[in-house]
Amino acid sequence: MNIPDPQKLSLNTATVRKQWKLAQIIDGCARHGLRGISPWRDQVAELTLKKTRQLIESHGLAVTGLCRGGFFTKDNWLDDNRRAIEEAHVLGARCLVLVVGGLHEKSKDMPRARAAVREGLEKILPEARQAKVPLAIEPLHPMQAADRACVNTLEQALDLCDELGEGVGVAVDAYHVWWDPKLQSQIARAGRERILGYHICDWLVPTRDLLNDRGMMGDGVIDLPRLRSWVEGAGYAGFHEVEIFSDYWWGRDPDEVLKIIRERHPAT
Amino acid sequence: MNIPDPQKLSLNTATVRKQWKLAQIIDGCARHGLRGISPWRDQVAELTLKKTRQLIESHGLAVTGLCRGGFFTKDNWLDDNRRAIEEAHVLGARCLVLVVGGLHEKSKDMPRARAAVREGLEKILPEARQAKVPLAIEPLHPMQAADRACVNTLEQALDLCDELGEGVGVAVDAYHVWWDPKLQSQIARAGRERILGYHICDWLVPTRDLLNDRGMMGDGVIDLPRLRSWVEGAGYAGFHEVEIFSDYWWGRDPDEVLKIIRERHPAT
């Protein structure tokens, strides 16, 4: 396998969100030689959209995604997604990452949730196209189906993309999809057109928490070089965005974390 | 939806394994009017196979499954599965439940694990057929792909069944498959021929542990009546086996647990 291009390393800001504010994270990326960043909207709001844009531009970072829109099964989803599209536009984000939402409150009706997601996507897609903001549906791990996203496989996400047409694709997050027996074929199906982002971290054995026990690349069981070979083999030429939700890594010195990410990247 | 037949309630013995020995569980099932039981092999070994058979027969219980064979990615899988088939035969179990195993030790190679599972199945299937023990592949939740089972969707399990021919089917466990966007179509595909067992419990929100935080039916978000309508609509006419791995329920009086299971069954 070829070595990943070090220029393609990007940081999802959730990875060090407990230690640093967004301005510090932007600065940290630049200092550690990471060329991409994917910020979360609450951090952007805190710093202000204008200042975020200025800082990211002045450091010459690519915005590999904005996290996040979606949650189509919550109240007020339309306004929130409209704001998210506008923010992604202002930041020049390569995509708006969508965590689509789980079951409606007090509901057990998965088909209803999935229908709401499709309808929500149909509604916001014209506005996203107009703003030139590609929408990246992120299939989440099935263990998060109830409360975070009822789109849980790449196949399901790509079926949605086929129904919706242009301007929408997928974010392939190793953590969420690595287990899927149809992963290779669905990545090939997605192709260059539909793969809008590629997120990496690792699956730990044992995993002690359903949300915040992701591993640093190399500490778990995901065959990341093989996965990257499939993603890049499908034509994806974008960034490798590190996104680690982890109580452990949130407890470490963030400069250490970024240093380790750099060190681990070549073996992914 | 129709009410489930109370005569079809079965208990997977893992549900009260921390409180009772197998002899007590068999007795408890009879006292609480449960007509089926699915024991685990370590408990059978402790009580002895002969005594287990005698006790189950004298109480008139159906053996809805024997747990478990599989783990084809571990050393010594062949001998262990041969013994499991023999035990299932002696107990007159309706199927031998297979938890197929995860990654090989120190391996990240999922395709290798999946190939080993297929080869293992091919090897033991003739012996299972001869013993008239149907093999039930149980797709496990993707969060258990690394360490317990690399068969993670019903579609994947049924593809294996198609390759292998007769004598093998699936155990549909609500907990493992409820999230699957292809669930309805794959249950229909499975049909009466392939559905060898139907296991119920519930998915809690939040779920605090990847193994031992399953919910009692009604306490979570799985639409069990709808799922049963699909399973029975596909032709399955067997038992509804309650299997709850839960630190919470293991801490409760087992007579209470069985009473609550009976009370909850009509709404599943």
Side-chain angles (χ1 to χ4, degrees), chain A residues 109 114 155 179 182 226, chain B residues 109 114 179 182 226:
Chain A
D109 192 344
R114 286 170 172 154
E155 181 176 36
W179 59 272
K182 301 180 87 168
R226 172 143 50 179
Chain B
D109 192 343
R114 287 172 171 153
W179 58 271
K182 300 180 89 170
R226 172 142 52 181

Side-chain angles (χ1 to χ4, degrees), chain A residues 14 21 23 40 55 85 99 105 109 117 119 128 130 143-144 146 156 195 202 214 233 236 251 254-256:
Chain A
K21 301 275 190 189
W40 282 67
L55 269 181
I85 289 166
V99 173
E105 195 171 353
D109 192 344
V117 168
E119 286 160 24
Q130 192 152 15
M143 70 186 175
Q144 296 173 3
Q156 183 190 7
I195 304 176
D202 216 332
R214 299 193 190 189
Y236 177 77
D255 275 305
E256 273 294 306

Side-chain angles (χ1 to χ4, degrees), chain B residues 174-237:
Chain B
Y175 193 76
H176 293 302
V177 302
W178 75 275
W179 58 271
D180 186 347
K182 300 180 89 170
L183 185 55
Q184 183 175 12
S185 63
Q186 293 300 314
I187 286 172
R189 170 190 172 192
R192 181 183 203 103
E193 289 281 299
R194 295 293 194 194
I195 303 176
L196 302 176
Y198 175 50
H199 302 178
I200 56 176
C201 68
D202 217 331
W203 179 274
L204 299 178
V205 178
T207 291
R208 298 177 194 283
D209 186 272
L210 278 76
L211 278 178
N212 298 327
D213 194 26
R214 299 193 191 189
M216 177 65 66
M217 298 82 74
D219 289 346
V221 298
I222 305 178
D223 187 345
L224 289 165
R226 172 142 52 181
L227 180 50
R228 183 171 57 81
S229 78
W230 293 347
V231 168
E232 297 189 337
Y236 177 76

